[in-house]
Amino acid sequence: MLSNTNWFSTQAISDRLTRVWEPHVHGFFRANIFHVVGTDADLVIDFGMGIADLRSALRIPSGKPVLAVATHVHVDHVGSFHEFETRLGHGAEAEAFARMPDADTLADYFRKQPDALTAAAPTGITPEAYKISPAPLTKALAENDIIDIGDASYTVLHLPGHSPGSIGLLDQRTGEFFSGDAIYEGGLVDDLPGCDIEAYKITMNRLSDLDVDVVHGGHGLMFGRDRLWEIAMSYLASKEG
């Protein structure tokens, strides 16, 4: 059994941004977690599977405020959401965050995977017994809300399609964009319960015109403005006719 710390892998993207992921989770559910260090508060975006204690692994200084933002309610992004006191997510999924039902989180898909985990979880949990702790929002987000951490602020973009409450966070000053599962490197998912292809097409048209510098997706590695446009246009072309 791995220790809590060894459950996670990390990549320091800059002196203020770290990407975290769970290498021993099935690839489909191996989502990115982002930790942004701010002057007034830290920002944590998405929360993995909850197989290990995320908050302690992030080593946030005791007493420092933390804003926890879930880009959407799917299982691979909300597992450790409950570990944080200040929880923000889109209002369209507020009821789902409060109850974490399989119908919205799709946790049952994870339980059914024969190779859901490639190592024993630090908590001893097995995929068959896996459950997500409810994490009611302390604030429901909407389009154009601002999340301020002191030396940076992020505008909330509502980007439905992958799920009803999918959001992204854009720093309009630097062009840094956290896109959740609205767009990322890899096969985009639009055929699960709660997905809406027509809404996704509108989102992709919006993303294709978005002024960004770097995109940090919910899965895979970061990419730039040109690749954002390519992924969006490829998706739209695949839906023609």
Side-chain angles (χ1 to χ4, degrees), residues 17-194:
L17 174 61
T18 301
R19 179 173 75 99
V20 181
W21 67 99
E22 298 170 285
H24 303 287
V25 169
H26 186 287
F28 187 79
F29 301 93
R30 192 179 304 142
N32 288 329
I33 301 159
F34 294 101
H35 177 203
V36 186
V37 176
T39 54
D40 296 346
D42 280 10
L43 174 64
V44 181
I45 303 169
D46 288 338
F47 308 93
M49 296 294 300
I51 300 292
D53 184 333
L54 174 63
R55 182 169 184 137
S56 66
L58 296 180
R59 299 178 180 176
I60 298 168
S62 177
K64 187 173 187 182
V66 180
L67 304 179
V69 179
T71 62
H72 61 299
V73 78
H74 287 167
V75 57
D76 47 337
H77 297 263
V78 296
S80 289
F81 197 25
H82 68 282
E83 296 177 16
F84 299 85
E85 293 181 1
T86 304
R87 298 181 298 272
L88 300 87
H90 196 271
E93 294 176 347
E95 184 177 348
F97 286 119
R99 298 189 300 111
M100 297 294 188
D102 284 1
D104 294 298
T105 66
L106 310 180
D108 51 327
Y109 283 73
F110 173 72
R111 294 191 201 101
K112 294 173 183 175
Q113 300 301 320
D115 53 350
L117 300 177
T118 60
T123 56
I125 193 73
T126 64
E128 295 78 14
Y130 176 79
K131 293 182 180 179
I132 304 174
S133 296
L137 299 179
T138 57
K139 179 182 178 181
L141 297 173
E143 175 78 14
N144 289 326
D145 279 352
I146 301 296
I147 296 172
D148 191 342
I149 59 172
D151 55 343
S153 62
Y154 300 87
T155 302
V156 175
L157 307 183
H158 184 206
L159 303 169
H162 177 71
S163 80
S166 285
I167 61 170
L169 302 181
L170 175 63
D171 184 334
Q172 295 179 315
R173 180 177 61 88
T174 65
E176 184 177 53
F177 179 45
F178 296 93
S179 63
D181 279 5
I183 195 163
Y184 54 86
E185 281 283 12
L188 300 179
V189 176
D190 64 6
D191 59 353
L192 293 173

Side-chain angles (χ1 to χ4, degrees), residues 90 142-145 155-160 166-170 172 177 182-183 198-212 225 228-229 232-233 235-236:
H90 196 271
E143 175 78 14
N144 289 326
D145 279 352
T155 302
V156 175
L157 307 183
H158 184 206
L159 303 169
S166 285
I167 61 170
L169 302 181
L170 175 63
Q172 295 179 315
F177 179 45
I183 195 163
E198 291 306 310
Y200 218 160
K201 287 161 66 175
I202 294 171
T203 285
M204 285 301 180
N205 272 304
R206 181 183 188 185
L207 290 174
S208 71
D209 289 332
L210 199 63
D211 184 14
V212 303
R225 173 72 184 84
L228 173 71
W229 184 87
M233 298 312 293
Y235 180 85
L236 291 168

